[in-house]
């Protein structure tokens, strides 16, 4: 009497399911950064424990910056982002920093080193970065008053770039 290889069949089914999931994720990543009209909604819990939900800022311009403490190009934009935030916070512009695949200690040291004061928090489980389909850091997404993606900046954002985009969106 021959036993049925249920263990092997189950293992192959699980392996096949895993390959489908991995393939689906690879397809998502290969599509590159999100360029749809609507900005994916998310909630960011900052290192201070405050919660920011993108949809709560409808009617305002929002700058979302993906960064990491280990990212050298992120250092090039840190001072510019902070300055643009300080220049525009009284105009109702919201900045949210999303820390990507980092440790809290190193992230907090980075924020202190660069004097970053706008809200920042970790991307727990990389949910936010997956929704925006980032390919790396730094990446910055500017959301207009209607909640639509106005402009992605792949690579370090500059003060002039951000100031120009924000001015255009505020005048709309």
């Amino acid at each position: 009497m021959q036993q049925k290889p249920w263990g092997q069949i189950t293992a192959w089914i699980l392996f096949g399911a895993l390959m489908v999931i991995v393939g689906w994720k690879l397809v998502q990543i290969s599509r590159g950064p999100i360029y749809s009209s609507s900005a994916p909604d998310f909630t960011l819990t900052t290192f201070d424990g405050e919660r920011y939900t993108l949809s709560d800022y409808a009617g305002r311009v929002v700058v979302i910056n993906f960064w990491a403490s280990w990212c050298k190009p992120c250092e090039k934009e840190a001072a510019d982002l902070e300055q643009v935030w300080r220049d525009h916070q009284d105009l109702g512009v919201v900045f949210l920093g999303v820390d990507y695949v980092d440790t809290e200690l190193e992230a907090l040291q980075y924020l202190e080193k660069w004097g970053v004061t706008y809200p920042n928090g970790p991307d727990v489980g990389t949910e936010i970065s997956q929704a925006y389909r980032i390919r790396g850091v730094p990446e910055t997404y500017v959301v207009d008053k209607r909640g639509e993606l106005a402009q992605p900046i792949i690579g370090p954002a500059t003060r002039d770039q951000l100031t120009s985009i924000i001015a255009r969106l505020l005048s709309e």
Side-chain angles (χ1 to χ4, degrees):
M1 185 159 120
Q2 191 174 4
Q3 282 189 326
K4 299 204 181 211
W6 292 112
Q8 283 184 337
I9 292 171
T10 302
W12 280 107
I13 289 171
L14 290 174
F15 178 73
L18 178 63
M19 291 294 98
V20 168
I21 292 169
V22 168
W24 178 68
K25 287 293 183 187
L26 287 173
V27 167
Q28 279 187 316
I29 290 169
S30 70
R31 291 187 313 200
I34 189 164
Y35 290 103
S36 70
S37 58
S38 259
D41 197 19
F42 63 89
T43 298
L44 175 72
T45 302
T46 65
F47 292 111
D48 297 332
E50 294 181 52
R51 293 172 56 90
Y52 292 83
T53 300
L54 180 61
S55 57
D56 290 346
Y57 298 100
R60 295 170 74 176
V61 174
V62 180
V63 176
I64 305 162
N65 176 252
F66 291 89
W67 63 277
S69 66
W70 46 262
C71 165
K72 289 299 177 191
C74 295
E75 294 177 0
K76 292 180 182 178
E77 70 176 7
D80 282 355
L81 285 164
E82 178 63 22
Q83 188 58 55
V84 174
W85 155 247
R86 289 177 188 228
D87 293 346
H88 294 87
Q89 65 182 347
D90 292 338
L91 300 174
V93 177
V94 176
F95 272 59
L96 297 173
V98 181
D99 182 29
Y100 177 73
V101 187
D102 214 341
T103 66
E104 184 171 341
L105 177 62
E106 290 172 330
L108 291 172
Q109 289 172 345
Y110 175 94
L111 295 172
E112 184 177 337
K113 176 182 179 181
W114 296 103
V116 177
T117 60
Y118 55 88
N120 275 271
D123 186 7
V124 178
T126 66
E127 290 180 19
I128 303 169
S129 56
Q130 286 182 46
Y132 282 77
R133 297 197 316 249
I134 73 164
R135 289 186 143 177
V137 288
E139 288 187 18
T140 303
Y141 294 83
V142 183
V143 180
D144 70 15
K145 296 175 186 178
R146 296 178 308 274
E148 296 179 1
L149 287 171
Q151 179 123 17
I153 302 170
I154 310 304
T158 67
R159 184 176 182 179
D160 290 341
Q161 264 180 318
L162 285 171
T163 300
S164 173
I165 294 166
I166 291 170
R168 178 176 49 85
L169 296 177
L170 288 174
S171 69
E172 291 179 350

